[in-house]
Amino acid sequence: MLDVLEIATTVTVGLMVGVELSVAFVMNPIFSALPEDSGQQARSHGGRMLGAAMPVWYIGSLVLVAVWAVAGRGHDGVGLVVTAGALLLVSVVMSILLLVPINNRGKTWTPENRPEDWKEQTKRWDRYHYIRVAVIVAAFTLLVTALA
């Protein structure tokens, strides 16, 4: 049963990493290349859509890793799993404190109501997101290593 949990957790976190890498290095650069109103509207829509899905994914991944750490006590690699869990917790805290406030503002923006500094806020969100991506990639790498 532990094997199933390990695989399900690693796949879940891996898929989350893939989505976040896509946001950082594919979708947002595409949106930034669109004409100003289109790019801003695309980011607002993405903020609404992913803003609803990602909290469940982040918290769910953290719970799965915690269950793996508890169920795997005494097994090889549990230290890696605990460290991965700590990194995922950092990513959740970063999200709540740094990214979500910007996202909550940005998802309501339209060309008519966006603030003058919307581009700066978007760039700040991107910088925080790159750091969060690095954190969850490290967590995923530790989980994969724990499987070996």
Side-chain angles (χ1 to χ4, degrees), residues 116-132:
E116 288 187 27
D117 71 338
W118 73 273
K119 286 184 180 181
E120 290 79 17
Q121 290 189 54
T122 297
K123 289 176 186 176
R124 187 176 328 117
W125 188 94
D126 287 343
R127 286 191 303 271
Y128 293 148
H129 184 64
Y130 293 140
I131 295 167
R132 179 174 63 179

Side-chain angles (χ1 to χ4, degrees), residues 51 54 102 137:
M54 296 314 285
I102 298 169
V137 165

Side-chain angles (χ1 to χ4, degrees), residues 2 6 66-82 146:
L2 182 60
E6 292 169 344
V67 171
W68 178 358
V70 170
R73 285 184 313 240
H75 289 85
D76 291 338
V78 75
L80 296 172
V81 176
V82 169

